[in-house]
Amino acid sequence: MDEPKPSICLPKEKFSENVVRKALYWFSQYCLWQLKERDTEWLIYIENEMVDSKFHFDRLLNDQLLREKIDIQTADLRRSIVRKVLSGIENTL
Amino acid sequence: MTSKIMPFNFERLSNNKVFISNHSGFFHIFEDVSELDRFIEGTHQDTQDLKSKMFCFDTEDEQQTYTQLLSSSLSYKYQSSLCAPFLFIVVPTLRCDHNCNYCQVSRVNEDAQGYDLDRSKIISIVNRIIEIGYPPYKIEFQGGEPLLNFNFIQDFVGQFTSVVDEASVEFIIATSASLIDDKIINWAKNYPVSLSVSLDGTKSIHDRNRKHPRNSSHDLFQHGVSLIKKQLGDDKFSTVTTLTRAGIADPQDIIDAHIDVGSKDIFLRPLSPYGFATKRYDDNYTVQEFETYYEKLLRLLIKEYDDLGIVEHNALIHLQRIYNNKFNGYVDLKSPAGYVLGALVFDYTGNIFGSDEARMLHKSYGIKELRIGEVETPLNFSNNNSLINTLASSFISENPGCDECAYQPYCGSDPMHHLSTQLDPVGDKSLSRFCSYQKSTFDIIFRLIDEKETSAILNRWLNEHT
C-alpha cells in the first residue's frame, strides 16, 4: 500500500519545530492534523482538508514566524520582567 | 536611530489591522502585518507613540526604565488579583417556577421536596462570609427561583444586617420577577436590596426561552418590574439577558425589550455549557454568529441610541479591563481565575463551591473535588490540593494558547468552562468557545476604539459608569 502523501511539506531550515507546532495548535480549530518528519522536512497530514485550509495554515505559520522574530529579540527582556515580578511578590509575601 | 523592540504580543483584527499589547496593557494598532514587520525589523519610521507606550526603546537607560515599569505593572496586576472573594452567592432553593430551555442549574419543579436551604444554616453562612470576606459585602441570592424560599432570604438578610452595618452590604436577588408582590416589595424597602431580573427579549422571544407553566413569563416579568420600579426605584432593578438562537436574528429586539421597561442598561451573556444548556450548547449558534450579532448590537447602541444613554455592560466590563489596571470586579474575567478568588457559593445542600459553575458541574457530574467545604465548618484552603492546582494553572500568561495572545492583559481564565467542555481546567484554547467568545469581543471592541466616533462614545460609557 502506498504511503499517504503529506498535505504540506515544510523545510526544517526555514521553520523551527516550535513555529510549526504552535501554528498547528491553532490549526486544530479548522481540521485534524498529524505531524511527522523526515531529515530535512516537516510533514503535515490534514484530514478533511477544505479549500481554504492551507490559506489558514499559511497565515498561522506566518504569524508564528513573526512571533519567533519578536522572541529572539525580546526573550531576555521578558525573562527580566518576570524575574522582577517574582522577586517583588516574594518580598511582599 | 533604530529603535529596538520591547516584549509584546500581537493579534490580527478581523479588518486586517494588527493589534499589539504589552505587560502594562498598553496597546497600539498597526494598519497591517507589513507595518508590524517593519516595526520588528527596526525600520518603522514613526515610533514616538510606540515608545511612549513602552513598545520600543532607543537607549540602554530607556530599556532599563521600561523593564522596571512593565514589571511593576505586572506585579500590581497579579497582587490585586490574589484577593479574598468579593461576591457571595447563596442558593436558598433549587426549586423554580420556570423551565427555561437553557437553564444552567438543572432546576427542579416548584413543589419538589428536599431542595431548600435550611434556615438553621443561616448563622453558619453569615459566619463563613464574615471570616473570609471584608466590607463592602456583595451577597447574591440565586436559584432556581430564590423567591420561592423568601422566608430564608428574609431571615438571612435580617441576621446579616444585625451583625454588619447595612451601609457595608449590598444584597441582590437574581429572579425572574414572577413572584414579586407587595409583601416582598415592602420588605425590600427596609434593606439594601436590589433585583437582577432575567430579560431575554420582547414577549415572543422571552416566552420562547423562559417557559412558565401557567402564564406568559414576559407578562409576569412586566408586572414584577413595574412594582419594583414604582416602589423601590429604577436603581433597584437591573436585567440580565441570555442570548439564544431565538434572539440572535435581530439585536433590535433586545433594545426594544429594554426600552419597553424603561431600562438603559443591557447586560448580555452568551449561552454557557452547564446544566440543561449542555445538551444544546454546540448546536445553538456559532461564535461567528454571536460576533456578527454583538457587533451589530453595539454599533446600533452607539449610532442610534446614544441620546437615550443605553449602555451594554458586557462591553463596559471589557472596556474597564482594558483601561483600568486595577479592575478585577468581574469574576469571569480574572487571571488567576475568579474561582474562589472572586466568589464563593453556598448551595441549598449546605455545600460550598468556588463558583456558580463549579456548583453546577458538581450537581451534573458529581465531581467531588469541586466541593471545597460545608457551611458548618470554617474553610481551609491551604490543605485543598485540588483547589491550589486549579488556581496555580489559571495564570493565563503561562497557559498554552494564552501566553502569546495580545488580549492577555485584559482577559481571564475560566477553569470550570474548560472542565465542562474539555474535561481539563486549562483546555486547548484553539477549541475553546470561551477563548473564541473573548477574542471576538475584544476584536469588536478594539475595532470600535480604533474609530474616532465610536471611541468617543465608548469613553463616555466608561466615564459615566466607573
Side-chain angles (χ1 to χ4, degrees), chain B residues 46-241:
Chain B
D46 181 12
T47 55
Q48 219 28 59
D49 184 51
L50 290 156
K51 249 183 60 168
S52 72
K53 296 174 188 170
M54 299 187 283
F55 284 109
C56 56
F57 61 93
D58 291 329
T59 67
E60 187 76 21
D61 278 349
E62 280 174 354
Q63 186 227 83
Q64 285 178 9
T65 304
Y66 295 166
T67 302
Q68 185 59 49
L69 288 171
L70 289 169
S71 62
S72 297
S73 183
L74 192 55
S75 259
Y76 180 77
K77 216 185 218 324
Y78 280 146
Q79 293 196 47
S80 58
S81 298
L82 294 166
C83 55
F86 48 82
L87 172 65
F88 298 94
I89 297 173
V90 180
V91 182
T93 182
L94 198 63
R95 293 182 295 124
C96 193
D97 61 344
H98 277 71
N99 187 9
C100 303
N101 54 17
Y102 56 72
C103 180
Q104 297 178 161
V105 305
S106 304
R107 45 70 81 197
V108 297
N109 287 340
E110 56 189 304
D111 53 1
Q113 303 283 319
Y115 293 94
D116 284 7
L117 183 47
D118 202 90
R119 285 192 265 179
S120 63
K121 298 202 188 293
I122 287 176
I123 292 178
S124 298
I125 297 174
V126 171
N127 287 341
R128 296 292 83 77
I129 292 174
I130 292 172
E131 267 162 21
I132 300 278
Y134 47 87
Y137 300 97
K138 188 169 174 182
I139 297 172
E140 188 166 309
F141 297 102
Q142 291 188 10
E145 168 52 67
L147 290 174
L148 280 170
N149 196 358
F150 179 55
N151 290 340
F152 178 97
I153 294 175
Q154 277 183 295
D155 287 357
F156 184 97
V157 170
Q159 178 65 33
F160 199 89
T161 52
S162 73
V163 295
V164 168
D165 184 352
E166 273 186 33
S168 301
V169 61
E170 179 192 359
F171 298 100
I172 299 155
I173 303 175
T175 175
S176 61
S178 55
L179 299 175
I180 298 288
D181 59 16
D182 288 333
K183 176 183 170 191
I184 291 170
I185 294 288
N186 287 333
W187 165 82
K189 281 177 184 170
N190 301 311
Y191 295 101
V193 171
S194 61
L195 294 110
S196 169
V197 187
S198 303
L199 173 60
D200 285 359
T202 52
K203 186 172 164 130
S204 68
I205 289 177
H206 185 94
D207 284 347
R208 205 181 318 171
N209 285 343
R210 302 180 65 80
K211 303 198 192 313
H212 190 276
R214 296 173 293 278
N215 296 297
S216 152
S217 175
H218 194 266
D219 288 349
L220 293 169
F221 159 84
Q222 282 197 310
H223 176 254
V225 164
S226 165
L227 282 177
I228 296 167
K229 285 165 65 79
K230 250 189 234 153
Q231 307 222 24
L232 298 179
D234 286 354
D235 61 332
K236 294 296 183 187
F237 149 74
S238 62
T239 62
V240 173
T241 299

Side-chain angles (χ1 to χ4, degrees), chain A residues 22 25-29 59 62-64 66-67 69-70 73-74 77-78 80-82 84-86 88-89 92, chain B residues 5-8 10-12 33 37 40-41 63 67-68 71 74-75 78-79 400-401 404 428-431 439:
Chain A
K22 284 187 176 183
Y25 178 92
W26 289 104
F27 195 45
S28 301
Q29 61 188 303
R59 203 198 63 209
N62 190 55
D63 285 357
Q64 289 306 332
L66 284 171
R67 290 191 175 102
K69 262 200 232 180
I70 294 167
Q73 294 188 49
T74 63
L77 284 173
R78 214 181 269 272
S80 182
I81 289 167
V82 171
K84 285 184 194 298
V85 169
L86 291 174
I89 291 175
T92 307
Chain B
I5 57 174
M6 292 291 290
F8 69 90
F10 74 87
E11 287 295 315
R12 293 180 190 243
V33 169
D37 202 21
I40 297 168
E41 293 291 341
Q63 186 227 83
T67 302
Q68 185 59 49
S71 62
L74 192 55
S75 259
Y78 280 146
Q79 293 196 47
E404 293 182 328
D428 179 340
K429 296 306 189 301
S430 74
L431 304 174
K439 280 190 156 174

Side-chain angles (χ1 to χ4, degrees), chain A residues 4-9 24 27-28 30-36 43-58:
Chain A
K5 238 180 108 185
S7 308
I8 300 172
C9 298
L24 286 171
F27 195 45
S28 301
Y30 300 111
C31 39
L32 294 174
W33 52 264
Q34 206 177 20
L35 177 67
K36 293 186 179 175
L43 309 173
I44 298 164
Y45 297 83
I46 299 174
E47 187 128 329
N48 302 326
E49 186 173 341
M50 294 191 297
V51 167
D52 52 0
S53 298
K54 285 186 179 151
F55 290 106
H56 286 307
F57 186 71
D58 261 351

Side-chain angles (χ1 to χ4, degrees), chain B residues 328-349:
Chain B
N328 266 302
Y330 188 59
V331 169
D332 293 351
L333 216 57
K334 276 168 64 70
S335 170
Y339 179 64
V340 175
L341 297 182
L344 280 184
V345 178
F346 301 90
D347 192 26
Y348 75 93
T349 54

